[in-house]
mmCIF file of all heavy atoms in Angstrom:
data_model
loop_
_atom_site.group_PDB
_atom_site.id
_atom_site.type_symbol
_atom_site.label_atom_id
_atom_site.label_comp_id
_atom_site.label_asym_id
_atom_site.label_seq_id
_atom_site.Cartn_x
_atom_site.Cartn_y
_atom_site.Cartn_z
ATOM 1 N N GLU A 44 -22.077 -36.590 -114.118
ATOM 2 C CA GLU A 44 -23.137 -36.025 -114.902
ATOM 3 C C GLU A 44 -24.303 -36.932 -114.953
ATOM 4 O O GLU A 44 -25.499 -36.474 -114.902
ATOM 5 C CB GLU A 44 -22.602 -35.615 -116.279
ATOM 6 C CG GLU A 44 -23.404 -34.601 -116.989
ATOM 7 C CD GLU A 44 -23.656 -33.351 -116.168
ATOM 8 O OE1 GLU A 44 -22.739 -32.951 -115.377
ATOM 9 O OE2 GLU A 44 -24.762 -32.790 -116.280
ATOM 10 N N LEU A 54 -20.617 -47.804 -119.087
ATOM 11 C CA LEU A 54 -19.289 -47.318 -119.365
ATOM 12 C C LEU A 54 -18.594 -48.238 -120.313
ATOM 13 O O LEU A 54 -18.326 -49.424 -119.981
ATOM 14 C CB LEU A 54 -18.488 -47.234 -118.042
ATOM 15 C CG LEU A 54 -19.093 -46.361 -116.952
ATOM 16 C CD1 LEU A 54 -18.364 -46.515 -115.650
ATOM 17 C CD2 LEU A 54 -19.077 -44.899 -117.411
ATOM 18 N N TYR A 63 -4.653 -49.346 -121.934
ATOM 19 C CA TYR A 63 -4.185 -48.034 -121.573
ATOM 20 C C TYR A 63 -4.343 -47.817 -120.079
ATOM 21 O O TYR A 63 -3.499 -47.183 -119.363
ATOM 22 C CB TYR A 63 -4.930 -46.949 -122.361
ATOM 23 C CG TYR A 63 -4.516 -45.560 -122.077
ATOM 24 C CD1 TYR A 63 -3.415 -44.984 -122.586
ATOM 25 C CD2 TYR A 63 -5.278 -44.820 -121.170
ATOM 26 C CE1 TYR A 63 -3.010 -43.659 -122.280
ATOM 27 C CE2 TYR A 63 -4.912 -43.488 -120.801
ATOM 28 C CZ TYR A 63 -3.809 -43.008 -121.370
ATOM 29 O OH TYR A 63 -3.384 -41.690 -121.039
ATOM 30 N N TYR A 67 -8.117 -54.865 -117.146
ATOM 31 C CA TYR A 67 -9.545 -54.935 -116.777
ATOM 32 C C TYR A 67 -9.728 -54.734 -115.291
ATOM 33 O O TYR A 67 -10.668 -54.049 -114.868
ATOM 34 C CB TYR A 67 -10.123 -56.271 -117.189
ATOM 35 C CG TYR A 67 -10.054 -56.498 -118.704
ATOM 36 C CD1 TYR A 67 -9.396 -57.606 -119.279
ATOM 37 C CD2 TYR A 67 -10.700 -55.579 -119.594
ATOM 38 C CE1 TYR A 67 -9.400 -57.791 -120.643
ATOM 39 C CE2 TYR A 67 -10.662 -55.830 -120.924
ATOM 40 C CZ TYR A 67 -9.951 -56.859 -121.485
ATOM 41 O OH TYR A 67 -9.923 -57.110 -122.818
ATOM 42 N N ASN A 69 -7.957 -53.116 -113.101
ATOM 43 C CA ASN A 69 -7.766 -51.733 -112.700
ATOM 44 C C ASN A 69 -8.980 -50.905 -113.109
ATOM 45 O O ASN A 69 -9.387 -49.965 -112.351
ATOM 46 C CB ASN A 69 -6.495 -51.159 -113.304
ATOM 47 C CG ASN A 69 -6.079 -49.864 -112.619
ATOM 48 O OD1 ASN A 69 -6.152 -49.717 -111.409
ATOM 49 N ND2 ASN A 69 -5.688 -48.898 -113.430
ATOM 50 N N ASN A 72 -11.732 -51.646 -110.597
ATOM 51 C CA ASN A 72 -11.415 -51.033 -109.249
ATOM 52 C C ASN A 72 -11.528 -49.498 -109.308
ATOM 53 O O ASN A 72 -12.046 -48.906 -108.398
ATOM 54 C CB ASN A 72 -9.971 -51.415 -108.839
ATOM 55 C CG ASN A 72 -9.905 -52.846 -108.390
ATOM 56 O OD1 ASN A 72 -10.907 -53.485 -108.124
ATOM 57 N ND2 ASN A 72 -8.714 -53.445 -108.473
ATOM 58 N N ASN A 82 -19.962 -40.932 -104.223
ATOM 59 C CA ASN A 82 -21.342 -41.263 -103.810
ATOM 60 C C ASN A 82 -22.348 -41.388 -104.956
ATOM 61 O O ASN A 82 -23.386 -40.804 -104.955
ATOM 62 C CB ASN A 82 -21.826 -40.275 -102.735
ATOM 63 C CG ASN A 82 -22.994 -40.779 -101.938
ATOM 64 O OD1 ASN A 82 -23.189 -42.018 -101.863
ATOM 65 N ND2 ASN A 82 -23.779 -39.892 -101.359
ATOM 66 N N THR A 95 -13.004 -59.245 -129.686
ATOM 67 C CA THR A 95 -13.091 -60.161 -130.871
ATOM 68 C C THR A 95 -12.747 -61.582 -130.516
ATOM 69 O O THR A 95 -12.888 -62.506 -131.352
ATOM 70 C CB THR A 95 -12.134 -59.685 -131.977
ATOM 71 O OG1 THR A 95 -10.854 -59.492 -131.421
ATOM 72 C CG2 THR A 95 -12.618 -58.409 -132.630
ATOM 73 N N CYS A 100 -13.035 -61.747 -123.544
ATOM 74 C CA CYS A 100 -14.283 -61.698 -122.793
ATOM 75 C C CYS A 100 -14.078 -62.325 -121.453
ATOM 76 O O CYS A 100 -14.522 -61.780 -120.365
ATOM 77 C CB CYS A 100 -15.409 -62.363 -123.554
ATOM 78 S SG CYS A 100 -15.869 -61.527 -125.096
ATOM 79 N N HIS A 137 -21.721 -66.245 -114.950
ATOM 80 C CA HIS A 137 -21.212 -65.191 -113.998
ATOM 81 C C HIS A 137 -22.120 -63.971 -113.961
ATOM 82 O O HIS A 137 -21.734 -62.895 -113.522
ATOM 83 C CB HIS A 137 -19.806 -64.711 -114.447
ATOM 84 C CG HIS A 137 -18.758 -65.854 -114.352
ATOM 85 N ND1 HIS A 137 -18.637 -66.850 -115.272
ATOM 86 C CD2 HIS A 137 -17.883 -66.081 -113.360
ATOM 87 C CE1 HIS A 137 -17.674 -67.637 -114.887
ATOM 88 N NE2 HIS A 137 -17.215 -67.228 -113.750
ATOM 89 N N SER A 149 -21.041 -49.883 -140.669
ATOM 90 C CA SER A 149 -20.299 -49.043 -141.603
ATOM 91 C C SER A 149 -21.226 -48.143 -142.358
ATOM 92 O O SER A 149 -22.439 -48.363 -142.392
ATOM 93 C CB SER A 149 -19.594 -49.972 -142.642
ATOM 94 O OG SER A 149 -19.354 -49.294 -143.812
ATOM 95 N N SER A 158 -29.449 -58.368 -142.343
ATOM 96 C CA SER A 158 -30.722 -58.793 -142.885
ATOM 97 C C SER A 158 -31.634 -59.226 -141.798
ATOM 98 O O SER A 158 -31.146 -59.771 -140.773
ATOM 99 C CB SER A 158 -30.551 -59.845 -143.984
ATOM 100 O OG SER A 158 -30.299 -61.099 -143.341
ATOM 101 N N ASN A 164 -32.371 -65.625 -137.344
ATOM 102 C CA ASN A 164 -31.560 -66.860 -137.078
ATOM 103 C C ASN A 164 -30.599 -66.693 -135.935
ATOM 104 O O ASN A 164 -30.455 -67.623 -135.114
ATOM 105 C CB ASN A 164 -30.739 -67.157 -138.376
ATOM 106 C CG ASN A 164 -31.551 -67.776 -139.421
ATOM 107 O OD1 ASN A 164 -32.609 -68.387 -139.127
ATOM 108 N ND2 ASN A 164 -31.154 -67.621 -140.659
ATOM 109 N N THR A 169 -28.809 -68.191 -130.584
ATOM 110 C CA THR A 169 -27.945 -67.738 -129.514
ATOM 111 C C THR A 169 -28.704 -67.351 -128.310
ATOM 112 O O THR A 169 -29.926 -67.317 -128.330
ATOM 113 C CB THR A 169 -27.054 -66.551 -129.944
ATOM 114 O OG1 THR A 169 -27.924 -65.416 -130.160
ATOM 115 C CG2 THR A 169 -26.183 -66.807 -131.201
ATOM 116 N N THR A 197 -37.039 -51.472 -137.182
ATOM 117 C CA THR A 197 -38.421 -51.930 -136.746
ATOM 118 C C THR A 197 -38.484 -53.449 -137.063
ATOM 119 O O THR A 197 -38.989 -54.171 -136.197
ATOM 120 C CB THR A 197 -39.458 -51.164 -137.492
ATOM 121 O OG1 THR A 197 -39.223 -49.759 -137.399
ATOM 122 C CG2 THR A 197 -40.862 -51.475 -137.001
ATOM 123 N N HIS A 210 -24.583 -48.515 -132.690
ATOM 124 C CA HIS A 210 -23.190 -48.107 -132.584
ATOM 125 C C HIS A 210 -23.033 -46.821 -133.416
ATOM 126 O O HIS A 210 -23.759 -46.633 -134.391
ATOM 127 C CB HIS A 210 -22.207 -49.135 -133.090
ATOM 128 C CG HIS A 210 -22.026 -50.284 -132.090
ATOM 129 N ND1 HIS A 210 -20.804 -50.577 -131.490
ATOM 130 C CD2 HIS A 210 -22.901 -51.136 -131.504
ATOM 131 C CE1 HIS A 210 -20.981 -51.551 -130.648
ATOM 132 N NE2 HIS A 210 -22.256 -51.909 -130.631
ATOM 133 N N SER A 216 -28.072 -36.683 -135.917
ATOM 134 C CA SER A 216 -28.937 -35.596 -135.411
ATOM 135 C C SER A 216 -29.812 -36.043 -134.318
ATOM 136 O O SER A 216 -30.086 -37.253 -134.166
ATOM 137 C CB SER A 216 -29.756 -35.041 -136.534
ATOM 138 O OG SER A 216 -30.716 -35.995 -136.913
ATOM 139 N N LYS A 243 -11.460 -30.176 -128.175
ATOM 140 C CA LYS A 243 -11.663 -28.804 -128.673
ATOM 141 C C LYS A 243 -11.528 -27.752 -127.559
ATOM 142 O O LYS A 243 -10.814 -26.779 -127.627
ATOM 143 C CB LYS A 243 -13.109 -28.726 -129.256
ATOM 144 C CG LYS A 243 -13.299 -27.451 -130.080
ATOM 145 C CD LYS A 243 -14.673 -27.391 -130.650
ATOM 146 C CE LYS A 243 -15.023 -26.052 -131.169
ATOM 147 N NZ LYS A 243 -16.385 -25.799 -131.435
ATOM 148 N N LYS A 246 -7.843 -27.550 -126.295
ATOM 149 C CA LYS A 246 -6.988 -26.787 -127.214
ATOM 150 C C LYS A 246 -7.150 -25.277 -127.050
ATOM 151 O O LYS A 246 -6.219 -24.508 -126.959
ATOM 152 C CB LYS A 246 -7.271 -27.193 -128.682
ATOM 153 C CG LYS A 246 -6.627 -28.515 -129.097
ATOM 154 C CD LYS A 246 -7.044 -28.877 -130.458
ATOM 155 C CE LYS A 246 -6.974 -30.393 -130.642
ATOM 156 N NZ LYS A 246 -7.657 -30.804 -131.838
ATOM 157 N N ASN A 252 -4.143 -19.985 -122.170
ATOM 158 C CA ASN A 252 -3.381 -20.105 -120.928
ATOM 159 C C ASN A 252 -2.032 -20.711 -121.207
ATOM 160 O O ASN A 252 -1.735 -21.801 -120.783
ATOM 161 C CB ASN A 252 -4.132 -20.979 -119.876
ATOM 162 C CG ASN A 252 -5.503 -20.382 -119.542
ATOM 163 O OD1 ASN A 252 -5.564 -19.575 -118.620
ATOM 164 N ND2 ASN A 252 -6.482 -20.762 -120.246
ATOM 165 N N LYS A 260 -4.996 -29.168 -114.041
ATOM 166 C CA LYS A 260 -5.728 -28.078 -114.722
ATOM 167 C C LYS A 260 -5.825 -28.373 -116.194
ATOM 168 O O LYS A 260 -6.884 -28.136 -116.852
ATOM 169 C CB LYS A 260 -5.021 -26.730 -114.513
ATOM 170 C CG LYS A 260 -5.312 -26.128 -113.122
ATOM 171 C CD LYS A 260 -4.726 -24.734 -113.009
ATOM 172 C CE LYS A 260 -5.040 -24.247 -111.585
ATOM 173 N NZ LYS A 260 -4.119 -23.226 -111.197
ATOM 174 N N GLN A 270 -19.290 -32.693 -120.261
ATOM 175 C CA GLN A 270 -20.528 -32.682 -119.416
ATOM 176 C C GLN A 270 -21.721 -32.226 -120.246
ATOM 177 O O GLN A 270 -22.802 -32.844 -120.151
ATOM 178 C CB GLN A 270 -20.396 -31.666 -118.287
ATOM 179 C CG GLN A 270 -19.791 -32.272 -117.023
ATOM 180 C CD GLN A 270 -19.521 -31.193 -115.981
ATOM 181 O OE1 GLN A 270 -19.628 -29.996 -116.229
ATOM 182 N NE2 GLN A 270 -19.173 -31.669 -114.795
ATOM 183 N N PHE A 283 -33.110 -39.977 -118.415
ATOM 184 C CA PHE A 283 -32.999 -39.214 -117.196
ATOM 185 C C PHE A 283 -34.149 -39.610 -116.240
ATOM 186 O O PHE A 283 -35.206 -40.051 -116.630
ATOM 187 C CB PHE A 283 -32.964 -37.733 -117.436
ATOM 188 C CG PHE A 283 -34.181 -37.283 -118.306
ATOM 189 C CD1 PHE A 283 -35.280 -36.733 -117.652
ATOM 190 C CD2 PHE A 283 -34.114 -37.361 -119.647
ATOM 191 C CE1 PHE A 283 -36.406 -36.328 -118.409
ATOM 192 C CE2 PHE A 283 -35.137 -36.919 -120.402
ATOM 193 C CZ PHE A 283 -36.270 -36.447 -119.804
ATOM 194 N N ASN A 292 -25.596 -52.112 -107.296
ATOM 195 C CA ASN A 292 -25.296 -50.961 -108.071
ATOM 196 C C ASN A 292 -23.774 -50.900 -108.348
ATOM 197 O O ASN A 292 -23.113 -50.009 -107.905
ATOM 198 C CB ASN A 292 -25.801 -49.756 -107.292
ATOM 199 C CG ASN A 292 -25.824 -48.494 -108.157
ATOM 200 O OD1 ASN A 292 -25.578 -48.604 -109.381
ATOM 201 N ND2 ASN A 292 -25.905 -47.320 -107.573
#
Side-chain angles (χ1 to χ4, degrees):
E44 201 51 37
L54 300 173
Y63 178 82
Y67 299 122
N69 195 43
N72 288 339
N82 197 22
T95 52
C100 293
H137 294 81
S149 154
S158 74
N164 281 334
T169 64
T197 310
H210 284 243
S216 71
K243 191 178 169 197
K246 281 175 203 165
N252 297 275
K260 283 187 182 155
Q270 271 174 350
F283 55 95
N292 192 13

